[in-house]
Amino acid sequence: MFTPHSKRREKMSLVVEAPDYLQVFSDGSVKRFTPEVASASSESSNGYKSKDVIIDPSKPITGRIFLPSLPASSGPLPVLVYFHGGGFCIGSTTWLGYHHFLGDLSVASQSIVVSVDYRLAPENRLPTAYDDCFSSLEWIVSQVQSEPWLEKADLSRVFLSGDSAGGNITHNVALRAIVDNIKYANIRGLLLIHPYFGSEKRTDQEKDEGAAGAVAMNDMFWRLSIPEGLTRDYFGCNFEKAELSPSQWLEFPAVVVYVAGLDFLKERGVMYAEFLQKKGVREVKLVEAEGENHVFHVFHPQSEPTRLLQRQMTDFIKSY
């Protein structure tokens, strides 16, 4: 007797995997493995409080605001907009490492931190993440008068920051702000942590025989995130493809690029800083954490190297 249950199903196959983080199957479905997460709390803890917000329910885009519990000044506070990493395919501001790092950073820098959860690839390929994160700037401006947690936000002192893919997003959101000539927020500086860039042309490090595994993993995330049919010379991957006039490059905010000594992406980060300098960007700093790995601040948010990074970021913010 034939029943629907007796019909043999075609087995779904695994086509892409980043062990412990991501699996993509032949039917297009995606499975993400979520590490430990932290809930937002309006109760003060470690000198800060946090609140989850909905930036755009239609997409959806969400975020988490971190606020120093006892600001050192009663005056306005700078705003740091943060974009998490994860190869554009994984990650969330709710991850425990991000929560602790950004909460502590809000205290150290005396800033309002707004961390954005943008839509992820491969379901939402680039430039979706850029669009979502740019719209978060518009949301912050629109909420300053109505969101109590943003009432002290100083829109004349806005900073963009992110790690890995989030560093890439930081660059691309800044580009769009210049092209669109936005006036509603004054972006004073960019703080890129271990930024994730690429190109069709391999670097010397990527050509090394021992780099095959790292190159394959980076290529996999690019294949999942850039628009289908395009190469790693897509503008979002290859920063040299940015289309700004010489005068627009002079408008680019001050930049600090943080690299880690043991990070495979260090070479690309150094190249990015050198590229900006050649374009005439007014201030470009390169800071290396010797002996540290990629996004160490997320995996070890309370380590001394992370504390040093927070102090360095604080100094940069306070200088503008």
Side-chain angles (χ1 to χ4, degrees):
M1 180 179 176
F2 176 81
T3 68
H5 298 289
S6 65
K7 186 178 180 180
R8 189 174 182 177
R9 295 181 177 178
E10 182 177 296
K11 188 175 181 181
M12 189 169 55
S13 60
L14 178 67
V15 293
V16 171
E17 180 176 28
D20 300 325
Y21 290 104
L22 177 79
Q23 292 179 329
V24 181
F25 295 91
S26 54
D27 67 346
S29 61
V30 180
K31 181 178 181 180
R32 294 180 175 87
F33 299 86
T34 304
E36 189 175 358
V37 299
S39 299
S41 176
S42 59
E43 299 295 321
S44 178
S45 175
N46 296 319
Y48 63 87
K49 51 187 179 179
S50 55
K51 175 184 180 179
D52 289 334
V53 293
I54 298 174
I55 295 173
D56 187 336
S58 69
K59 290 187 168 56
I61 310 169
T62 60
R64 180 167 290 183
I65 302 175
F66 297 87
L67 196 63
S69 302
L70 297 171
S73 168
S74 59
L77 300 175
V79 178
L80 178 80
V81 188
Y82 195 89
F83 312 120
H84 68 76
F88 304 102
C89 297
I90 58 174
S92 170
T93 189
T94 65
W95 284 13
L96 189 64
Y98 282 117
H99 181 86
H100 287 308
F101 174 73
L102 295 174
D104 291 341
L105 179 61
S106 74
V107 178
S109 63
Q110 289 294 290
S111 301
I112 300 172
V113 177
V114 181
S115 183
V116 181
D117 266 346
Y118 49 89
R119 288 173 290 172
L120 300 173
E123 302 95 324
N124 301 281
R125 290 175 177 266
L126 295 173
T128 298
Y130 305 146
D131 294 340
D132 288 357
C133 292
F134 185 82
S135 69
S136 70
L137 291 179
E138 299 172 315
W139 178 86
I140 291 169
V141 173
S142 71
Q143 296 297 308
V144 165
Q145 301 300 323
S146 58
E147 170 54 64
W149 285 49
L150 295 176
E151 64 181 4
K152 286 191 174 185
D154 183 355
L155 297 182
S156 71
R157 296 184 66 214
V158 175
F159 297 84
L160 307 182
S161 183
D163 61 272
S164 198
N168 175 302
I169 293 171
T170 296
H171 168 74
N172 280 286
V173 169
L175 288 178
R176 181 168 171 183
I178 291 172
V179 171
D180 290 2
N181 195 28
I182 68 164
K183 300 298 185 184
Y184 50 75
N186 186 357
I187 301 174
R188 294 285 191 94
L190 312 180
L191 304 90
L192 288 77
I193 306 172
H194 316 158
Y196 180 45
F197 293 110
S199 65
E200 282 297 301
K201 182 180 179 181
R202 298 297 190 192
T203 66
D204 291 340
Q205 183 181 7
E206 291 165 351
K207 293 176 184 176
D208 188 89
E209 188 175 315
V215 169
M217 184 63 69
N218 284 340
D219 285 357
M220 181 202 75
F221 277 111
W222 283 123
R223 283 195 304 273
L224 292 175
S225 58
I226 62 178
E228 291 187 86
L230 297 185
T231 71
R232 292 188 305 277
D233 283 332
Y234 172 64
F235 80 91
C237 178
N238 186 347
F239 52 74
E240 293 185 353
K241 301 301 180 180
E243 296 183 354
L244 288 187
S245 67
S247 61
Q248 286 176 318
W249 279 115
L250 296 178
E251 298 174 28
F252 208 74
V255 180
V256 58
V257 183
Y258 299 100
V259 297
L262 302 181
D263 183 8
F264 185 72
L265 295 182
K266 173 188 169 182
E267 184 180 36
R268 292 280 183 180
V270 172
M271 291 168 61
Y272 172 70
E274 292 173 344
F275 170 78
L276 294 183
Q277 290 172 332
K278 291 177 182 176
K279 289 295 184 180
V281 173
R282 55 180 173 171
E283 182 168 348
V284 182
K285 295 180 179 178
L286 182 68
V287 179
E288 179 176 346
E290 296 181 1
E292 297 300 325
N293 287 298
H294 189 60
V295 298
F296 64 84
H297 64 293
V298 181
F299 292 107
H300 308 288
Q302 296 174 331
S303 67
E304 181 50 39
T306 297
R307 297 294 185 227
L308 175 59
L309 173 62
Q310 289 165 338
R311 291 193 296 271
Q312 292 166 335
M313 295 176 74
T314 295
D315 290 342
F316 181 83
I317 291 169
K318 288 184 175 180
S319 67
Y320 295 96

